[in-house]
């Protein structure tokens, strides 16, 4: 599906379970799809409120759907996650500044950013541990393979004004993709333009339609190509219908 050198940017916050699913799928298949995956840590509340949406906890119907949806998606994509006993949104600002600081320090490659992000997601959505306190971030960093000295340096750097500004700018960049197909994923190639801004938590519909088609295209045998083309057409039709419905 992807040509050599295609850049895919993933805007994410470890507060978002859908971002975690997208993160793991893209990491899993980036070599198969031959993509250059770029991690863009952002701040979910800034995206939600900046786009005029509201948190899922404020919408009981959406919350009920999300719980059921995540159960199915986590099983399908092989990323175990469990519903926290407390679904109220806890501030991940410190965690995302920590990841941003690490990304700024790790100029060559993103292996450490990938590992630390994964550990933070695991703490929040699998083991239900804190990710807001320095001690918690230290534990996640050490488990991801950072040395104690590096963790200390990153914690200090995360409190600096340049890192705060960097996280704000990436969050704003994510908001500027409001015409693209979902917040979490952006491609360098042209994307369908819509007049609405999809909620971060409706990201699964668009992202996983794309993912499902990509996996099928890469793994199906020749006699399945026609079926893949049908899936692709359904995906394009769904985007067209979504755009049309939101214009009326």
């Amino acid at each position: 599906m992807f040509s050599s050198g295609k850049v895919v940017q993933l805007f994410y916050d470890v507060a978002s379970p859908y971002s975690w699913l997208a993160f793991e799928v893209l990491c899993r298949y980036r070599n198969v799809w031959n993509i250059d995956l770029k991690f863009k840590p952002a701040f979910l509340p800034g995206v939600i409120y900046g786009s005029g949406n509201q948190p899922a906890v404020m919408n009981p119907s959406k919350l009920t759907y999300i719980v059921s949806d995540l159960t199915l998606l986590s099983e399908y994509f092989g990323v175990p996650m469990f519903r926290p006993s407390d679904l109220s949104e806890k501030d991940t600002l410190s965690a995302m500044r920590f990841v941003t600081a690490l990304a700024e320090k790790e100029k060559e490659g993103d292996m450490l950013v990938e590992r630390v992000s994964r550990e933070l997601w695991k703490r929040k959505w699998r083991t239900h541990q804190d990710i807001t306190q320095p001690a918690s971030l230290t534990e996640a960093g050490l488990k991801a393979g950072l040395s104690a000295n590096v963790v200390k340096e990153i914690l200090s750097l995360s409190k600096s004004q340049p890192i705060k500004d960097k996280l704000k700018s990436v969050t704003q960049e994510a908001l500027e993709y409001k015409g693209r197909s979902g917040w979490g994923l952006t491609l360098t190639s042209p994307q369908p333009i819509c007049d609405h801004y999809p909620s971060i938590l409706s990201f699964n519909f668009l992202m996983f339609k794309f993912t499902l088609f990509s996996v099928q295209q890469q793994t199906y045998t020749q006699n399945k190509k026609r079926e893949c083309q049908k899936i692709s057409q359904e995906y394009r039709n769904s985007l067209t219908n979504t755009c049309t419905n939101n214009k009326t």
Side-chain angles (χ1 to χ4, degrees), residues 1-247:
M1 179 175 180
F2 295 96
S3 60
S4 177
K6 181 69 70 178
V7 176
V8 176
Q9 298 181 101
L10 180 68
F11 294 85
Y12 69 93
D13 185 328
V14 295
S16 168
Y18 285 115
S19 290
W20 187 17
L21 292 170
F23 173 91
E24 294 296 355
V25 168
L26 289 170
C27 288
R28 187 182 302 167
Y29 295 109
R30 59 184 160 191
N31 291 332
V32 177
W33 294 339
N34 194 22
I35 60 174
D36 182 9
L37 179 59
K38 301 295 185 183
F39 298 126
K40 306 281 285 189
F43 187 48
L44 177 60
V47 173
I48 290 177
Y49 293 112
S51 61
N53 281 288
Q54 61 177 245
V57 293
M58 303 295 291
N59 188 328
S61 297
K62 177 184 281 189
L63 193 58
T64 299
Y65 167 77
I66 288 171
V67 171
S68 174
D69 193 40
L70 286 174
T71 300
L72 295 173
L73 289 173
S74 65
E75 180 179 355
Y76 180 82
F77 288 107
V79 182
M81 63 176 66
F82 309 100
R83 172 182 174 175
S85 56
D86 179 11
L87 283 174
S88 62
E89 293 194 356
K90 294 184 178 179
D91 196 354
T92 58
L93 185 58
S94 295
M96 296 317 296
R97 284 176 176 171
F98 184 78
V99 176
T100 299
L102 181 59
E104 287 298 288
K105 178 178 174 58
E106 189 184 21
K107 294 297 185 180
E108 298 296 329
D110 52 19
M111 179 180 65
L112 295 178
V113 170
E114 177 181 338
R115 289 178 179 177
V116 169
S117 298
R118 183 175 287 113
E119 287 302 324
L120 291 171
W121 263 308
K122 286 180 180 180
R123 289 178 70 89
K124 182 169 180 64
W125 291 101
R126 189 173 297 174
T127 60
H128 304 157
Q129 296 173 277
D130 176 71
I131 60 170
T132 64
Q133 299 301 316
S136 303
L137 298 176
T138 296
E139 185 177 338
L142 292 173
K143 193 169 183 179
L146 302 182
S147 69
N149 287 337
V150 169
V151 169
K152 184 178 180 180
E153 179 184 355
I154 297 302
L155 281 173
S156 177
L157 185 60
S158 69
K159 299 174 184 177
S160 67
Q161 193 59 47
I163 293 302
K164 294 177 181 179
D165 292 341
K166 178 64 176 181
L167 183 60
K168 287 180 181 178
S169 68
V170 174
T171 301
Q172 182 59 41
E173 184 182 352
L175 279 166
E176 291 171 359
Y177 280 104
K178 64 181 295 184
R180 302 283 179 143
S181 55
W183 173 65
L185 177 73
T186 66
L187 303 175
T188 56
S189 57
Q191 296 292 293
I193 301 298
C194 299
D195 291 334
H196 72 296
Y197 191 93
S199 165
I200 177 61
L201 292 175
S202 66
F203 167 72
N204 65 303
F205 171 74
L206 296 164
M207 172 61 200
F208 292 110
K209 271 286 189 178
F210 164 80
T211 301
L212 178 59
F213 169 66
S214 301
V215 173
Q216 288 171 328
Q217 188 185 54
Q218 292 292 337
T219 59
Y220 273 28
T221 55
Q222 290 297 318
N223 64 345
K224 288 290 185 178
K225 281 188 176 180
R226 185 173 300 175
E227 185 176 347
C228 288
Q229 291 170 353
K230 180 180 178 181
I231 293 171
S232 177
Q233 186 61 52
E234 290 175 350
Y235 168 67
R236 289 194 294 269
N237 290 342
S238 69
L239 287 175
T240 300
N241 292 337
T242 301
C243 295
T244 301
N245 291 338
N246 281 274
K247 287 180 179 179

